[in-house]
Amino acid sequence: MEHFFNDYTFRTVTLGAATLGAISGALGTFAVLRRQSLLGDAVSHAALPGVGLAFIITGSKAPLILMVGAGLAGWLATVAVLAIIATTRIKYDGALGFVLSVFFGIGLVLLTFIQKFPNASQAGLDSFLFGQAAALVEQDVVTMAVLGGLALVVLVLFWKEFKILSFDPEFANSLVLPVRWLDLGLTTLLVVAIVIGLQTVGVVLMSAMIIAPAAAARQWTDNLGIMVLISMVIGALSGVGGALLSTSTSNLPTGPTIVLCASGVVIVSVIIAPRRGLVWEQIRRTLQARRLRSEAILLDLFELARKHDSLGHPHMEAALKIMHPHASTLRRQLRSLHSKGLISLHSTGAWALTQEGINACEKLLAKRVS
Amino acid sequence: MSPFQLEIQLVAAVVAVACALPGTFLVLRQMAMMSDAISHAILPGIVIGFFLTGNLSSPILILGGAATGLLTVVLVEWMRKTNRVREDAAIGLVFSALFATGVILIARYAGDVHLDTDAVLLGELAFAPFDRLEIAGYDLGPQSLYSTGSVGLLCAAFIMLFYKELKLATFDSALCATLGFLPGLLHYALMGLISMTAVAAFDAVGSILVVALMVGPPISAYLLTNRLDRMILYSILLAVTAAVSGYWIAYLLDASIAGCMAAIVGVQFGILLCVAPNQGLLAAWQRRKRQRWQFAIKMLVIHLLQHEGTPEAERECRVDHLQEHLAWEKPFAANVVSRAAAQRLLYPVGESLELTVTGRELAREAIVHH
C-alpha cells in the first residue's frame, strides 16, 4: 500500500480521479434532479470538435486550452439542443441524439485532419476520446482542481436560486428570478464539470460520472445539501477506488474501472439505502402485511363475539379459519396475538378476546370510521 | 470511380437505409437516445461474440450484440420500475456500465487482436471492401454488405408486415393496447431490430454514426411532412444522400468517412431547418410577416367600416388620420393602404379612403370572428 502512495503516477491519478469524482458528483446532482442526465452525454461527445479546433487554432496541447475549447463546444451543443426544441416540434431526445452525433462526427473529421499535421502527433488528443488517466500530470490535476473549485464557488453563491430553479422553475419565474440566465448558468457549470473529467475518463464514459454519484446519493437523503455532499463523497470514493483497482491489476483501464465502481455504488444504494432502499421497502411491506392480517383476525373474533352476550365469548380456530383467507399463517398470528395479551386460550381450545383485546378492537374500529 | 469506391458507397448506402428505417420510429416514439445507449451497450456482446468465434463479421456477433442491446432495454425498464432512478438517468447508467465492461474485456483479454475501442466507436468504412465474402472460391463482394444488407431487409420486412401496428403503437399506445396489439412486444421487437442494426453497422461506420443515421435523417424528414410513410421515404433518401456525399467529401478532404457523413447529416438538418415548407424558420418568419400585414389590413378595413356613412367619415377615413387613430407610422400606414388597395379592398377618393364590396365583407367577417 505504502509504495503506491509514494508512486508519483499513482498519486496523481488518484488525486485527479478523486477531484473529478467530487466535482462531477456535486454538479451532476442538479443534472439528475432536473432530468438532464443525458445532456451530460451529449455535452461530453460534443466537446470533441472543441478539443480539435482549440488544437488547430493554438497548436498547443496545454490542458487548459483544450478544456476551454471543449467547454465552448459543449456549451454550444447545449444551446443548439435548446434552440432546436424551441423552434421546431422535435423533442428533447431527438435534439440530443442529433447534436451529440453530428458534433462528434465533426470532431472526428477534425481529428483525422490533425493527424496529417507535420508538427504534432495526435496522441495527446486521443486521450480525450477514451480517457487516459495514466497520462495525467500534476499540472492537469491542478487545472482540474482550480476550475472545479471555481464551479463549486459559483454553485455555493447561487445556491438558493439554483435550488428553486431545480425543484420549481415556475415558482422561480414568479419570484422574478432571471430563470433563463440561471438555467444557462447551471448548464454552464455542468459543462465545466464534464470538461474537467474528459481527459481522465473520456467522452463516452464521462456521462456516467455525472449521473452515477448523484443517482446513488439520491437514495440516501431527501435534502439537497446533503445529497450534494454525499454525491461528492461517492464520486471521489469511486475515483479513488477505480484508480486503486486499476493500478494494482494489470490491463485494467482506469476510466472504465472508475465508472464500474460508481455504478456498483448505485446498485448497492438502490438496494440497501435506509427508507428508500428496495430491501427496506420489502421489510416494510412484510411487516405491514403481517400487522394487517393480525388486525383482521382480531376484528373477526370481535365480530363473532358480538353475536353473543359477552364480547369475551370464545370461538374455535376452525370458525376463524373459514372467515380468514390467510389460513396458513392463522396459527402463528393467533400465537402472536396471544403473546401480546390481546386474546386468551380457553381450556376447550377456543380463543377469546381479553379486555385489552376488546379495547384494541374498539380503537381500530373508531379509527376506521373516522 | 474504382470498384472499391463503389463498394464503399454501396455499404454506406445500405447502412444508411438500415438505420433510417427503425430510426424513424425511434424518433417518433421519443426514444432517440436509446439508439445512443444501445449502440454503446452492444460492445460487451460483440467482444464476447468475438472471443467465441474469432471473427468480427460472424452472425453470432450480431446475435450477441442484439442480446446485449435487449439486455440494455430490460435493465433500463427494470431500473425505471423500481422508481428509485428516473428513466433518463437509468439509460445513462446502464449503457455506460455495459460499455465500460466491454472496454475492460478488450483491455484484459484482447490485447493484440483486431478489436479495439476505436474500431467500435469510430468504425472504418474504408476497410469494408477488404473483408470479402467468398463461397466456393467465388468472390461475392464485401462481407459487411451482406451483414448490413440482411439486417436492413429484416427491418424493411418487419416495418412492412407490422406497419399498421407500429403506426398505432407509435401514435396511440393506449388504443393499441386496448385493441389487443401488444405494444410492449412491438417495443421489444423494435429495440431488437435497433440492436441488430447497430451491431451490423458498427464494424463499418462505428457506433456514433449509427446514432447520427438513426436520429438525423428522421428528424430532418420530420420537418418536411406529417405523414408517416412520407417521413420514412424522406428519411431513407436523406440518409442515402448523406452517406454518398459524405463519402466523397471525406475522399476530397482525406478525412474520416463516418465523421463526414455525420457532418453532412448535420448540414442537411441545418438547411431543412431554414427552408422547410411550413416547419422551416424561413416559412415561419414569412408567415409571421404575412400575419402582421393581414392583421393591419383587417384593422384598417374595420376602422373604415365603422366610420362609413357617418358625419365624421371625411375626417376619420383620411390616410394621414390613420397615424393618430391607429398609432401607425406614416410609411407603415401608406404600406398597409397600398397592400389593401392591391387586394381590391378599398380605393382612394381624393384624400380619403373608400371600401369596396369585398373590403366591407372582410371587415364584417373579421368583426364576427374576433
Side-chain angles (χ1 to χ4, degrees), chain A residues 193-216:
Chain A
I194 289 168
V195 165
I196 287 171
L198 283 185
Q199 210 183 350
T200 313
V201 292
V203 297
V204 184
L205 293 175
M206 191 51 216
S207 63
M209 289 312 293
I210 295 291
I211 306 169

Side-chain angles (χ1 to χ4, degrees), chain B residues 198-250:
Chain B
V199 189
F202 92 95
D203 191 28
V205 296
S207 50
I208 297 296
L209 187 61
V210 171
V211 180
L213 287 175
M214 278 188 186
V215 181
I219 67 166
S220 298
Y222 197 33
L223 294 173
L224 292 174
T225 177
N226 286 329
R227 293 181 54 105
L228 179 59
D229 48 359
R230 299 248 169 87
M231 185 173 163
I232 295 176
L233 182 71
Y234 295 157
S235 301
I236 292 173
L237 290 177
L238 285 166
V240 172
T241 321
V244 174
S245 57
Y247 169 74
W248 285 106
I249 286 172

Side-chain angles (χ1 to χ4, degrees), chain A residues 31-38 41 45 84 87-91 93-98 100-102 104-106 108-109 112-113 116 126 129-130 203-205 207-208 211-212 215 218-219 249-253 256-257 259-260 263 266 270 275-278 281, chain B residues 26-27 29-33 36 40 78-79 82-86 88-89 91-93 95-97 99-101 103-104 107-108 117-118 121-122 208 211-212 215-216 219-220 222-226 253-256 258-260 262-263 265-266 269-270 273 279 281:
Chain A
V32 167
L33 287 176
R34 300 172 72 208
R35 303 178 186 224
Q36 288 184 334
S37 301
L38 292 173
D41 192 37
H45 279 84
I84 290 177
T87 55
T88 69
R89 56 179 173 179
I90 292 161
K91 298 289 186 304
D93 64 306
L96 272 186
F98 168 78
L100 173 160
S101 54
V102 169
F104 191 82
I106 296 171
L108 278 187
V109 174
T112 43
F113 207 63
K116 288 179 293 182
D126 250 356
L129 214 47
F130 299 109
V203 297
V204 184
L205 293 175
S207 63
I211 306 169
R218 176 68 191 90
Q219 313 307 322
T249 322
S250 65
N251 276 337
L252 200 59
T257 312
V259 166
L260 283 190
S263 311
V266 175
V270 166
R275 284 192 297 155
R276 268 176 76 96
L278 294 178
E281 193 189 61
Chain B
L26 217 47
V27 165
R29 298 164 71 97
Q30 298 183 28
M31 298 189 315
M33 285 308 278
D36 182 49
H40 286 94
W78 175 78
M79 286 197 86
T82 62
N83 271 330
R84 299 300 186 276
V85 181
R86 288 216 192 96
D88 58 331
I91 293 175
L93 284 171
F95 94 75
S96 33
F99 189 80
T101 312
V103 175
I104 288 175
R108 282 192 70 81
T117 345
D118 290 44
L121 206 57
L122 315 179
I208 297 296
V211 180
V215 181
I219 67 166
S220 298
Y222 197 33
L223 294 173
L224 292 174
T225 177
N226 286 329
L253 294 177
D254 190 16
S256 151
C260 283
V265 167
F269 179 78
L273 180 63
Q279 303 276 326
L281 296 180

